[in-house]
Amino acid sequence: MLAAWNQTPPARTLPPRVAHALAEAERLNFDRSCSLETGRLLRTLAATRPGARLTELGSGTGVGAAWLLSGMSPGAHLLTTEADAERASVTREVLKGEARVTALHGDWQDALAHGPFDLIFSDYAPAKRETEHLDALIAALNLGGMLVLDNFSPPALLPAALHGGDPEREGLWLCPRLTCTEVAVSAHERVILAVRKG
């Protein structure tokens, strides 16, 4: 409503690079960018880690990377990786001129070799939806580093097949090397924050 009246508070205005990345996603009919709510959480989390090394697995058109950059300190660095060549090129264009970021075209597992990281935003389905990769993600985190996983449905909205248990959530919550919490960023989306403790 405030936007319609041109009264959006500055803190709620989209950072210019986020707006650019969202426009590119629309142009490419790419509908898997992180939500605005998750983006604002990413910006906040990046701001809590001055001088940090961050990585994003699955750049898309650069929406998540742009949110992270909007919260990063001057001494921080972000590595973002996208498997699709066209989207990787778009991401590089969106982030052009920003010295704190490296945007690569390649496999998400190759990005982990550049670790360890203080924050990993896993925004690529194979990296966050297959529990056999959890050890690789944890190994790429510093102690105290945070793994951020978005697009989880609230328990009440889970499909019938998961009513008996959600193996993705359970793999995180039961891992002895992680301390996890689940944050409701909207009525339809939860984000899991998992911190490496060992």
PDB file of all heavy atoms in Angstrom, residues 16-57:
ATOM      1  N   PRO A  16      19.128  -1.417  -5.618  1.00  0.00           N
ATOM      2  CA  PRO A  16      19.123  -1.352  -7.092  1.00  0.00           C
ATOM      3  C   PRO A  16      19.552  -2.642  -7.778  1.00  0.00           C
ATOM      4  O   PRO A  16      18.952  -3.041  -8.779  1.00  0.00           O
ATOM      5  CB  PRO A  16      20.096  -0.199  -7.386  1.00  0.00           C
ATOM      6  CG  PRO A  16      20.033   0.664  -6.169  1.00  0.00           C
ATOM      7  CD  PRO A  16      19.822  -0.277  -5.017  1.00  0.00           C
ATOM      8  N   ARG A  17      20.579  -3.314  -7.250  1.00  0.00           N
ATOM      9  CA  ARG A  17      21.014  -4.564  -7.892  1.00  0.00           C
ATOM     10  C   ARG A  17      19.952  -5.659  -7.753  1.00  0.00           C
ATOM     11  O   ARG A  17      19.817  -6.500  -8.640  1.00  0.00           O
ATOM     12  CB  ARG A  17      22.348  -5.037  -7.314  1.00  0.00           C
ATOM     13  CG  ARG A  17      23.538  -4.176  -7.715  1.00  0.00           C
ATOM     14  CD  ARG A  17      24.841  -4.775  -7.199  1.00  0.00           C
ATOM     15  NE  ARG A  17      25.932  -3.844  -7.274  1.00  0.00           N
ATOM     16  CZ  ARG A  17      26.708  -3.660  -8.339  1.00  0.00           C
ATOM     17  NH1 ARG A  17      26.472  -4.357  -9.426  1.00  0.00           N
ATOM     18  NH2 ARG A  17      27.695  -2.784  -8.318  1.00  0.00           N
ATOM     19  N   VAL A  18      19.223  -5.674  -6.652  1.00  0.00           N
ATOM     20  CA  VAL A  18      18.139  -6.646  -6.492  1.00  0.00           C
ATOM     21  C   VAL A  18      17.058  -6.381  -7.531  1.00  0.00           C
ATOM     22  O   VAL A  18      16.562  -7.304  -8.198  1.00  0.00           O
ATOM     23  CB  VAL A  18      17.547  -6.591  -5.066  1.00  0.00           C
ATOM     24  CG1 VAL A  18      16.305  -7.466  -4.964  1.00  0.00           C
ATOM     25  CG2 VAL A  18      18.588  -7.026  -4.033  1.00  0.00           C
ATOM     26  N   ALA A  19      16.685  -5.118  -7.691  1.00  0.00           N
ATOM     27  CA  ALA A  19      15.674  -4.762  -8.688  1.00  0.00           C
ATOM     28  C   ALA A  19      16.123  -5.163 -10.087  1.00  0.00           C
ATOM     29  O   ALA A  19      15.328  -5.689 -10.885  1.00  0.00           O
ATOM     30  CB  ALA A  19      15.377  -3.263  -8.615  1.00  0.00           C
ATOM     31  N   HIS A  20      17.392  -4.938 -10.401  1.00  0.00           N
ATOM     32  CA  HIS A  20      17.951  -5.315 -11.709  1.00  0.00           C
ATOM     33  C   HIS A  20      17.872  -6.822 -11.896  1.00  0.00           C
ATOM     34  O   HIS A  20      17.440  -7.317 -12.949  1.00  0.00           O
ATOM     35  CB  HIS A  20      19.391  -4.807 -11.790  1.00  0.00           C
ATOM     36  CG  HIS A  20      20.057  -5.050 -13.112  1.00  0.00           C
ATOM     37  ND1 HIS A  20      21.376  -4.719 -13.344  1.00  0.00           N
ATOM     38  CD2 HIS A  20      19.610  -5.598 -14.269  1.00  0.00           C
ATOM     39  CE1 HIS A  20      21.703  -5.049 -14.577  1.00  0.00           C
ATOM     40  NE2 HIS A  20      20.650  -5.585 -15.155  1.00  0.00           N
ATOM     41  N   ALA A  21      18.294  -7.583 -10.880  1.00  0.00           N
ATOM     42  CA  ALA A  21      18.283  -9.046 -10.969  1.00  0.00           C
ATOM     43  C   ALA A  21      16.860  -9.582 -11.126  1.00  0.00           C
ATOM     44  O   ALA A  21      16.616 -10.535 -11.886  1.00  0.00           O
ATOM     45  CB  ALA A  21      18.948  -9.648  -9.737  1.00  0.00           C
ATOM     46  N   LEU A  22      15.907  -8.995 -10.411  1.00  0.00           N
ATOM     47  CA  LEU A  22      14.515  -9.418 -10.534  1.00  0.00           C
ATOM     48  C   LEU A  22      13.966  -9.133 -11.931  1.00  0.00           C
ATOM     49  O   LEU A  22      13.220  -9.949 -12.497  1.00  0.00           O
ATOM     50  CB  LEU A  22      13.654  -8.721  -9.478  1.00  0.00           C
ATOM     51  CG  LEU A  22      13.821  -9.223  -8.055  1.00  0.00           C
ATOM     52  CD1 LEU A  22      13.132  -8.271  -7.068  1.00  0.00           C
ATOM     53  CD2 LEU A  22      13.270 -10.646  -7.905  1.00  0.00           C
ATOM     54  N   ALA A  23      14.328  -8.005 -12.505  1.00  0.00           N
ATOM     55  CA  ALA A  23      13.895  -7.681 -13.868  1.00  0.00           C
ATOM     56  C   ALA A  23      14.467  -8.680 -14.867  1.00  0.00           C
ATOM     57  O   ALA A  23      13.780  -9.109 -15.805  1.00  0.00           O
ATOM     58  CB  ALA A  23      14.324  -6.258 -14.231  1.00  0.00           C
ATOM     59  N   GLU A  24      15.724  -9.084 -14.662  1.00  0.00           N
ATOM     60  CA  GLU A  24      16.333 -10.081 -15.542  1.00  0.00           C
ATOM     61  C   GLU A  24      15.660 -11.444 -15.373  1.00  0.00           C
ATOM     62  O   GLU A  24      15.463 -12.168 -16.352  1.00  0.00           O
ATOM     63  CB  GLU A  24      17.832 -10.187 -15.259  1.00  0.00           C
ATOM     64  CG  GLU A  24      18.627  -8.986 -15.717  1.00  0.00           C
ATOM     65  CD  GLU A  24      18.566  -8.805 -17.224  1.00  0.00           C
ATOM     66  OE1 GLU A  24      18.786  -9.783 -17.963  1.00  0.00           O
ATOM     67  OE2 GLU A  24      18.272  -7.678 -17.664  1.00  0.00           O
ATOM     68  N   ALA A  25      15.304 -11.798 -14.155  1.00  0.00           N
ATOM     69  CA  ALA A  25      14.594 -13.060 -13.921  1.00  0.00           C
ATOM     70  C   ALA A  25      13.262 -13.067 -14.657  1.00  0.00           C
ATOM     71  O   ALA A  25      12.877 -14.068 -15.278  1.00  0.00           O
ATOM     72  CB  ALA A  25      14.386 -13.271 -12.423  1.00  0.00           C
ATOM     73  N   GLU A  26      12.560 -11.948 -14.604  1.00  0.00           N
ATOM     74  CA  GLU A  26      11.282 -11.855 -15.318  1.00  0.00           C
ATOM     75  C   GLU A  26      11.494 -11.956 -16.825  1.00  0.00           C
ATOM     76  O   GLU A  26      10.741 -12.645 -17.524  1.00  0.00           O
ATOM     77  CB  GLU A  26      10.580 -10.549 -14.959  1.00  0.00           C
ATOM     78  CG  GLU A  26       9.210 -10.418 -15.585  1.00  0.00           C
ATOM     79  CD  GLU A  26       8.466  -9.182 -15.115  1.00  0.00           C
ATOM     80  OE1 GLU A  26       8.973  -8.455 -14.233  1.00  0.00           O
ATOM     81  OE2 GLU A  26       7.361  -8.944 -15.645  1.00  0.00           O
ATOM     82  N   ARG A  27      12.523 -11.306 -17.326  1.00  0.00           N
ATOM     83  CA  ARG A  27      12.810 -11.355 -18.763  1.00  0.00           C
ATOM     84  C   ARG A  27      13.083 -12.776 -19.227  1.00  0.00           C
ATOM     85  O   ARG A  27      12.661 -13.181 -20.321  1.00  0.00           O
ATOM     86  CB  ARG A  27      14.007 -10.444 -19.082  1.00  0.00           C
ATOM     87  CG  ARG A  27      14.391 -10.404 -20.554  1.00  0.00           C
ATOM     88  CD  ARG A  27      15.588  -9.493 -20.799  1.00  0.00           C
ATOM     89  NE  ARG A  27      16.822  -9.975 -20.211  1.00  0.00           N
ATOM     90  CZ  ARG A  27      17.614 -10.892 -20.760  1.00  0.00           C
ATOM     91  NH1 ARG A  27      17.293 -11.454 -21.911  1.00  0.00           N
ATOM     92  NH2 ARG A  27      18.739 -11.253 -20.159  1.00  0.00           N
ATOM     93  N   LEU A  28      13.761 -13.561 -18.402  1.00  0.00           N
ATOM     94  CA  LEU A  28      14.115 -14.936 -18.754  1.00  0.00           C
ATOM     95  C   LEU A  28      13.051 -15.951 -18.331  1.00  0.00           C
ATOM     96  O   LEU A  28      13.256 -17.154 -18.490  1.00  0.00           O
ATOM     97  CB  LEU A  28      15.453 -15.311 -18.110  1.00  0.00           C
ATOM     98  CG  LEU A  28      16.690 -14.545 -18.577  1.00  0.00           C
ATOM     99  CD1 LEU A  28      17.919 -15.001 -17.803  1.00  0.00           C
ATOM    100  CD2 LEU A  28      16.906 -14.723 -20.074  1.00  0.00           C
ATOM    101  N   ASN A  29      11.942 -15.455 -17.763  1.00  0.00           N
ATOM    102  CA  ASN A  29      10.896 -16.355 -17.233  1.00  0.00           C
ATOM    103  C   ASN A  29      11.473 -17.327 -16.205  1.00  0.00           C
ATOM    104  O   ASN A  29      11.091 -18.489 -16.151  1.00  0.00           O
ATOM    105  CB  ASN A  29      10.197 -17.129 -18.359  1.00  0.00           C
ATOM    106  CG  ASN A  29       9.427 -16.222 -19.272  1.00  0.00           C
ATOM    107  OD1 ASN A  29       8.686 -15.349 -18.816  1.00  0.00           O
ATOM    108  ND2 ASN A  29       9.609 -16.393 -20.572  1.00  0.00           N
ATOM    109  N   PHE A  30      12.400 -16.827 -15.405  1.00  0.00           N
ATOM    110  CA  PHE A  30      13.029 -17.625 -14.345  1.00  0.00           C
ATOM    111  C   PHE A  30      12.293 -17.331 -13.045  1.00  0.00           C
ATOM    112  O   PHE A  30      12.309 -16.204 -12.547  1.00  0.00           O
ATOM    113  CB  PHE A  30      14.511 -17.258 -14.228  1.00  0.00           C
ATOM    114  CG  PHE A  30      15.249 -18.019 -13.163  1.00  0.00           C
ATOM    115  CD1 PHE A  30      15.567 -19.356 -13.334  1.00  0.00           C
ATOM    116  CD2 PHE A  30      15.630 -17.395 -11.984  1.00  0.00           C
ATOM    117  CE1 PHE A  30      16.250 -20.052 -12.352  1.00  0.00           C
ATOM    118  CE2 PHE A  30      16.314 -18.083 -10.996  1.00  0.00           C
ATOM    119  CZ  PHE A  30      16.620 -19.417 -11.182  1.00  0.00           C
ATOM    120  N   ASP A  31      11.624 -18.339 -12.500  1.00  0.00           N
ATOM    121  CA  ASP A  31      10.751 -18.111 -11.342  1.00  0.00           C
ATOM    122  C   ASP A  31      11.261 -18.753 -10.058  1.00  0.00           C
ATOM    123  O   ASP A  31      10.501 -18.983  -9.126  1.00  0.00           O
ATOM    124  CB  ASP A  31       9.337 -18.607 -11.637  1.00  0.00           C
ATOM    125  CG  ASP A  31       9.274 -20.111 -11.915  1.00  0.00           C
ATOM    126  OD1 ASP A  31      10.341 -20.768 -11.921  1.00  0.00           O
ATOM    127  OD2 ASP A  31       8.163 -20.625 -12.137  1.00  0.00           O
ATOM    128  N   ARG A  32      12.559 -19.020  -9.998  1.00  0.00           N
ATOM    129  CA  ARG A  32      13.097 -19.702  -8.819  1.00  0.00           C
ATOM    130  C   ARG A  32      14.040 -18.829  -7.991  1.00  0.00           C
ATOM    131  O   ARG A  32      14.854 -19.335  -7.219  1.00  0.00           O
ATOM    132  CB  ARG A  32      13.793 -21.005  -9.241  1.00  0.00           C
ATOM    133  CG  ARG A  32      12.820 -22.005  -9.859  1.00  0.00           C
ATOM    134  CD  ARG A  32      13.442 -23.358 -10.119  1.00  0.00           C
ATOM    135  NE  ARG A  32      14.602 -23.325 -10.990  1.00  0.00           N
ATOM    136  CZ  ARG A  32      14.561 -23.334 -12.311  1.00  0.00           C
ATOM    137  NH1 ARG A  32      13.409 -23.355 -12.929  1.00  0.00           N
ATOM    138  NH2 ARG A  32      15.670 -23.329 -13.019  1.00  0.00           N
ATOM    139  N   SER A  33      13.953 -17.516  -8.160  1.00  0.00           N
ATOM    140  CA  SER A  33      14.758 -16.626  -7.317  1.00  0.00           C
ATOM    141  C   SER A  33      14.257 -16.679  -5.878  1.00  0.00           C
ATOM    142  O   SER A  33      13.099 -17.019  -5.628  1.00  0.00           O
ATOM    143  CB  SER A  33      14.648 -15.181  -7.821  1.00  0.00           C
ATOM    144  OG  SER A  33      15.127 -15.068  -9.138  1.00  0.00           O
ATOM    145  N   CYS A  34      15.126 -16.335  -4.943  1.00  0.00           N
ATOM    146  CA  CYS A  34      14.691 -16.298  -3.547  1.00  0.00           C
ATOM    147  C   CYS A  34      13.606 -15.235  -3.381  1.00  0.00           C
ATOM    148  O   CYS A  34      13.547 -14.255  -4.115  1.00  0.00           O
ATOM    149  CB  CYS A  34      15.864 -16.054  -2.606  1.00  0.00           C
ATOM    150  SG  CYS A  34      16.600 -14.409  -2.679  1.00  0.00           S
ATOM    151  N   SER A  35      12.743 -15.453  -2.415  1.00  0.00           N
ATOM    152  CA  SER A  35      11.656 -14.509  -2.144  1.00  0.00           C
ATOM    153  C   SER A  35      12.217 -13.213  -1.559  1.00  0.00           C
ATOM    154  O   SER A  35      13.352 -13.165  -1.060  1.00  0.00           O
ATOM    155  CB  SER A  35      10.658 -15.128  -1.162  1.00  0.00           C
ATOM    156  OG  SER A  35      11.275 -15.304   0.108  1.00  0.00           O
ATOM    157  N   LEU A  36      11.407 -12.158  -1.610  1.00  0.00           N
ATOM    158  CA  LEU A  36      11.829 -10.889  -1.013  1.00  0.00           C
ATOM    159  C   LEU A  36      12.072 -11.044   0.482  1.00  0.00           C
ATOM    160  O   LEU A  36      12.994 -10.451   1.043  1.00  0.00           O
ATOM    161  CB  LEU A  36      10.772  -9.808  -1.264  1.00  0.00           C
ATOM    162  CG  LEU A  36      10.534  -9.420  -2.723  1.00  0.00           C
ATOM    163  CD1 LEU A  36       9.498  -8.311  -2.810  1.00  0.00           C
ATOM    164  CD2 LEU A  36      11.826  -9.007  -3.414  1.00  0.00           C
ATOM    165  N   GLU A  37      11.230 -11.854   1.135  1.00  0.00           N
ATOM    166  CA  GLU A  37      11.379 -12.064   2.585  1.00  0.00           C
ATOM    167  C   GLU A  37      12.703 -12.753   2.896  1.00  0.00           C
ATOM    168  O   GLU A  37      13.419 -12.371   3.822  1.00  0.00           O
ATOM    169  CB  GLU A  37      10.202 -12.883   3.118  1.00  0.00           C
ATOM    170  CG  GLU A  37       8.864 -12.187   3.019  1.00  0.00           C
ATOM    171  CD  GLU A  37       8.178 -12.352   1.665  1.00  0.00           C
ATOM    172  OE1 GLU A  37       8.725 -13.053   0.776  1.00  0.00           O
ATOM    173  OE2 GLU A  37       7.092 -11.777   1.491  1.00  0.00           O
ATOM    174  N   THR A  38      13.037 -13.786   2.113  1.00  0.00           N
ATOM    175  CA  THR A  38      14.323 -14.460   2.306  1.00  0.00           C
ATOM    176  C   THR A  38      15.473 -13.507   1.985  1.00  0.00           C
ATOM    177  O   THR A  38      16.492 -13.496   2.678  1.00  0.00           O
ATOM    178  CB  THR A  38      14.407 -15.721   1.439  1.00  0.00           C
ATOM    179  OG1 THR A  38      13.431 -16.664   1.902  1.00  0.00           O
ATOM    180  CG2 THR A  38      15.785 -16.356   1.495  1.00  0.00           C
ATOM    181  N   GLY A  39      15.299 -12.697   0.949  1.00  0.00           N
ATOM    182  CA  GLY A  39      16.338 -11.729   0.602  1.00  0.00           C
ATOM    183  C   GLY A  39      16.642 -10.779   1.737  1.00  0.00           C
ATOM    184  O   GLY A  39      17.810 -10.497   2.037  1.00  0.00           O
ATOM    185  N   ARG A  40      15.603 -10.281   2.377  1.00  0.00           N
ATOM    186  CA  ARG A  40      15.826  -9.353   3.502  1.00  0.00           C
ATOM    187  C   ARG A  40      16.526 -10.063   4.661  1.00  0.00           C
ATOM    188  O   ARG A  40      17.353  -9.471   5.357  1.00  0.00           O
ATOM    189  CB  ARG A  40      14.500  -8.735   3.927  1.00  0.00           C
ATOM    190  CG  ARG A  40      13.953  -7.767   2.885  1.00  0.00           C
ATOM    191  CD  ARG A  40      12.700  -7.039   3.349  1.00  0.00           C
ATOM    192  NE  ARG A  40      12.294  -6.068   2.345  1.00  0.00           N
ATOM    193  CZ  ARG A  40      11.299  -6.249   1.471  1.00  0.00           C
ATOM    194  NH1 ARG A  40      10.592  -7.366   1.503  1.00  0.00           N
ATOM    195  NH2 ARG A  40      11.010  -5.325   0.582  1.00  0.00           N
ATOM    196  N   LEU A  41      16.199 -11.341   4.858  1.00  0.00           N
ATOM    197  CA  LEU A  41      16.905 -12.113   5.884  1.00  0.00           C
ATOM    198  C   LEU A  41      18.376 -12.272   5.500  1.00  0.00           C
ATOM    199  O   LEU A  41      19.272 -12.117   6.350  1.00  0.00           O
ATOM    200  CB  LEU A  41      16.236 -13.479   6.065  1.00  0.00           C
ATOM    201  CG  LEU A  41      16.916 -14.434   7.055  1.00  0.00           C
ATOM    202  CD1 LEU A  41      16.948 -13.852   8.464  1.00  0.00           C
ATOM    203  CD2 LEU A  41      16.221 -15.797   7.041  1.00  0.00           C
ATOM    204  N   LEU A  42      18.650 -12.570   4.233  1.00  0.00           N
ATOM    205  CA  LEU A  42      20.040 -12.701   3.780  1.00  0.00           C
ATOM    206  C   LEU A  42      20.827 -11.422   4.017  1.00  0.00           C
ATOM    207  O   LEU A  42      21.979 -11.461   4.456  1.00  0.00           O
ATOM    208  CB  LEU A  42      20.076 -13.061   2.294  1.00  0.00           C
ATOM    209  CG  LEU A  42      19.604 -14.449   1.904  1.00  0.00           C
ATOM    210  CD1 LEU A  42      19.520 -14.570   0.381  1.00  0.00           C
ATOM    211  CD2 LEU A  42      20.511 -15.529   2.481  1.00  0.00           C
ATOM    212  N   ARG A  43      20.216 -10.281   3.699  1.00  0.00           N
ATOM    213  CA  ARG A  43      20.884  -8.994   3.918  1.00  0.00           C
ATOM    214  C   ARG A  43      21.251  -8.829   5.393  1.00  0.00           C
ATOM    215  O   ARG A  43      22.364  -8.407   5.733  1.00  0.00           O
ATOM    216  CB  ARG A  43      19.971  -7.851   3.467  1.00  0.00           C
ATOM    217  CG  ARG A  43      20.533  -6.474   3.756  1.00  0.00           C
ATOM    218  CD  ARG A  43      19.694  -5.368   3.157  1.00  0.00           C
ATOM    219  NE  ARG A  43      18.309  -5.402   3.629  1.00  0.00           N
ATOM    220  CZ  ARG A  43      17.352  -4.624   3.146  1.00  0.00           C
ATOM    221  NH1 ARG A  43      17.610  -3.764   2.176  1.00  0.00           N
ATOM    222  NH2 ARG A  43      16.133  -4.698   3.626  1.00  0.00           N
ATOM    223  N   THR A  44      20.324  -9.186   6.269  1.00  0.00           N
ATOM    224  CA  THR A  44      20.565  -9.057   7.711  1.00  0.00           C
ATOM    225  C   THR A  44      21.666 -10.004   8.173  1.00  0.00           C
ATOM    226  O   THR A  44      22.555  -9.619   8.942  1.00  0.00           O
ATOM    227  CB  THR A  44      19.265  -9.324   8.483  1.00  0.00           C
ATOM    228  OG1 THR A  44      18.258  -8.406   8.035  1.00  0.00           O
ATOM    229  CG2 THR A  44      19.461  -9.180   9.978  1.00  0.00           C
ATOM    230  N   LEU A  45      21.612 -11.246   7.704  1.00  0.00           N
ATOM    231  CA  LEU A  45      22.628 -12.230   8.104  1.00  0.00           C
ATOM    232  C   LEU A  45      24.011 -11.798   7.617  1.00  0.00           C
ATOM    233  O   LEU A  45      25.004 -11.926   8.348  1.00  0.00           O
ATOM    234  CB  LEU A  45      22.278 -13.607   7.555  1.00  0.00           C
ATOM    235  CG  LEU A  45      21.021 -14.259   8.135  1.00  0.00           C
ATOM    236  CD1 LEU A  45      20.700 -15.545   7.390  1.00  0.00           C
ATOM    237  CD2 LEU A  45      21.181 -14.529   9.627  1.00  0.00           C
ATOM    238  N   ALA A  46      24.101 -11.285   6.391  1.00  0.00           N
ATOM    239  CA  ALA A  46      25.393 -10.826   5.868  1.00  0.00           C
ATOM    240  C   ALA A  46      25.940  -9.685   6.719  1.00  0.00           C
ATOM    241  O   ALA A  46      27.147  -9.600   6.961  1.00  0.00           O
ATOM    242  CB  ALA A  46      25.241 -10.386   4.412  1.00  0.00           C
ATOM    243  N   ALA A  47      25.045  -8.829   7.205  1.00  0.00           N
ATOM    244  CA  ALA A  47      25.479  -7.684   8.014  1.00  0.00           C
ATOM    245  C   ALA A  47      26.034  -8.103   9.369  1.00  0.00           C
ATOM    246  O   ALA A  47      26.791  -7.351   9.987  1.00  0.00           O
ATOM    247  CB  ALA A  47      24.313  -6.714   8.207  1.00  0.00           C
ATOM    248  N   THR A  48      25.681  -9.309   9.832  1.00  0.00           N
ATOM    249  CA  THR A  48      26.175  -9.778  11.140  1.00  0.00           C
ATOM    250  C   THR A  48      27.584 -10.359  11.050  1.00  0.00           C
ATOM    251  O   THR A  48      28.153 -10.719  12.070  1.00  0.00           O
ATOM    252  CB  THR A  48      25.249 -10.862  11.739  1.00  0.00           C
ATOM    253  OG1 THR A  48      25.343 -12.063  10.959  1.00  0.00           O
ATOM    254  CG2 THR A  48      23.814 -10.389  11.829  1.00  0.00           C
ATOM    255  N   ARG A  49      28.133 -10.446   9.839  1.00  0.00           N
ATOM    256  CA  ARG A  49      29.420 -11.105   9.649  1.00  0.00           C
ATOM    257  C   ARG A  49      30.403 -10.207   8.904  1.00  0.00           C
ATOM    258  O   ARG A  49      30.725 -10.440   7.742  1.00  0.00           O
ATOM    259  CB  ARG A  49      29.213 -12.436   8.917  1.00  0.00           C
ATOM    260  CG  ARG A  49      28.393 -13.394   9.768  1.00  0.00           C
ATOM    261  CD  ARG A  49      28.082 -14.688   9.107  1.00  0.00           C
ATOM    262  NE  ARG A  49      27.325 -15.512  10.038  1.00  0.00           N
ATOM    263  CZ  ARG A  49      27.847 -16.434  10.837  1.00  0.00           C
ATOM    264  NH1 ARG A  49      29.138 -16.648  10.845  1.00  0.00           N
ATOM    265  NH2 ARG A  49      27.078 -17.135  11.645  1.00  0.00           N
ATOM    266  N   PRO A  50      30.889  -9.165   9.577  1.00  0.00           N
ATOM    267  CA  PRO A  50      31.837  -8.261   8.910  1.00  0.00           C
ATOM    268  C   PRO A  50      33.110  -8.992   8.502  1.00  0.00           C
ATOM    269  O   PRO A  50      33.630  -9.826   9.240  1.00  0.00           O
ATOM    270  CB  PRO A  50      32.116  -7.188   9.968  1.00  0.00           C
ATOM    271  CG  PRO A  50      31.641  -7.748  11.255  1.00  0.00           C
ATOM    272  CD  PRO A  50      30.592  -8.759  10.956  1.00  0.00           C
ATOM    273  N   GLY A  51      33.567  -8.698   7.290  1.00  0.00           N
ATOM    274  CA  GLY A  51      34.801  -9.302   6.788  1.00  0.00           C
ATOM    275  C   GLY A  51      34.665 -10.760   6.419  1.00  0.00           C
ATOM    276  O   GLY A  51      35.672 -11.432   6.183  1.00  0.00           O
ATOM    277  N   ALA A  52      33.457 -11.262   6.328  1.00  0.00           N
ATOM    278  CA  ALA A  52      33.221 -12.691   6.120  1.00  0.00           C
ATOM    279  C   ALA A  52      33.481 -13.121   4.685  1.00  0.00           C
ATOM    280  O   ALA A  52      33.480 -12.309   3.753  1.00  0.00           O
ATOM    281  CB  ALA A  52      31.788 -13.039   6.510  1.00  0.00           C
ATOM    282  N   ARG A  53      33.666 -14.433   4.531  1.00  0.00           N
ATOM    283  CA  ARG A  53      33.703 -15.076   3.219  1.00  0.00           C
ATOM    284  C   ARG A  53      32.379 -15.823   3.066  1.00  0.00           C
ATOM    285  O   ARG A  53      32.050 -16.690   3.873  1.00  0.00           O
ATOM    286  CB  ARG A  53      34.883 -16.031   3.110  1.00  0.00           C
ATOM    287  CG  ARG A  53      36.220 -15.323   3.255  1.00  0.00           C
ATOM    288  CD  ARG A  53      37.389 -16.268   3.019  1.00  0.00           C
ATOM    289  NE  ARG A  53      37.459 -16.608   1.609  1.00  0.00           N
ATOM    290  CZ  ARG A  53      37.387 -17.852   1.134  1.00  0.00           C
ATOM    291  NH1 ARG A  53      37.245 -18.880   1.939  1.00  0.00           N
ATOM    292  NH2 ARG A  53      37.461 -18.080  -0.164  1.00  0.00           N
ATOM    293  N   LEU A  54      31.620 -15.462   2.030  1.00  0.00           N
ATOM    294  CA  LEU A  54      30.301 -16.031   1.803  1.00  0.00           C
ATOM    295  C   LEU A  54      30.258 -16.696   0.437  1.00  0.00           C
ATOM    296  O   LEU A  54      30.997 -16.316  -0.475  1.00  0.00           O
ATOM    297  CB  LEU A  54      29.215 -14.945   1.856  1.00  0.00           C
ATOM    298  CG  LEU A  54      29.149 -14.059   3.092  1.00  0.00           C
ATOM    299  CD1 LEU A  54      30.012 -12.813   2.907  1.00  0.00           C
ATOM    300  CD2 LEU A  54      27.733 -13.640   3.391  1.00  0.00           C
ATOM    301  N   THR A  55      29.378 -17.692   0.300  1.00  0.00           N
ATOM    302  CA  THR A  55      29.138 -18.259  -1.015  1.00  0.00           C
ATOM    303  C   THR A  55      27.653 -18.519  -1.193  1.00  0.00           C
ATOM    304  O   THR A  55      26.936 -18.788  -0.223  1.00  0.00           O
ATOM    305  CB  THR A  55      29.947 -19.547  -1.269  1.00  0.00           C
ATOM    306  OG1 THR A  55      29.869 -19.884  -2.660  1.00  0.00           O
ATOM    307  CG2 THR A  55      29.445 -20.720  -0.452  1.00  0.00           C
ATOM    308  N   GLU A  56      27.233 -18.404  -2.442  1.00  0.00           N
ATOM    309  CA  GLU A  56      25.862 -18.728  -2.825  1.00  0.00           C
ATOM    310  C   GLU A  56      25.942 -19.826  -3.871  1.00  0.00           C
ATOM    311  O   GLU A  56      26.628 -19.685  -4.883  1.00  0.00           O
ATOM    312  CB  GLU A  56      25.170 -17.496  -3.413  1.00  0.00           C
ATOM    313  CG  GLU A  56      23.771 -17.785  -3.925  1.00  0.00           C
ATOM    314  CD  GLU A  56      23.202 -16.634  -4.726  1.00  0.00           C
ATOM    315  OE1 GLU A  56      23.973 -15.959  -5.449  1.00  0.00           O
ATOM    316  OE2 GLU A  56      21.983 -16.408  -4.633  1.00  0.00           O
ATOM    317  N   LEU A  57      25.228 -20.913  -3.627  1.00  0.00           N
ATOM    318  CA  LEU A  57      25.197 -22.029  -4.559  1.00  0.00           C
ATOM    319  C   LEU A  57      23.906 -21.939  -5.355  1.00  0.00           C
ATOM    320  O   LEU A  57      22.831 -22.216  -4.836  1.00  0.00           O
ATOM    321  CB  LEU A  57      25.276 -23.355  -3.793  1.00  0.00           C
ATOM    322  CG  LEU A  57      26.420 -23.459  -2.779  1.00  0.00           C
ATOM    323  CD1 LEU A  57      26.343 -24.780  -2.017  1.00  0.00           C
ATOM    324  CD2 LEU A  57      27.774 -23.306  -3.468  1.00  0.00           C
TER     325      LEU A  57
END
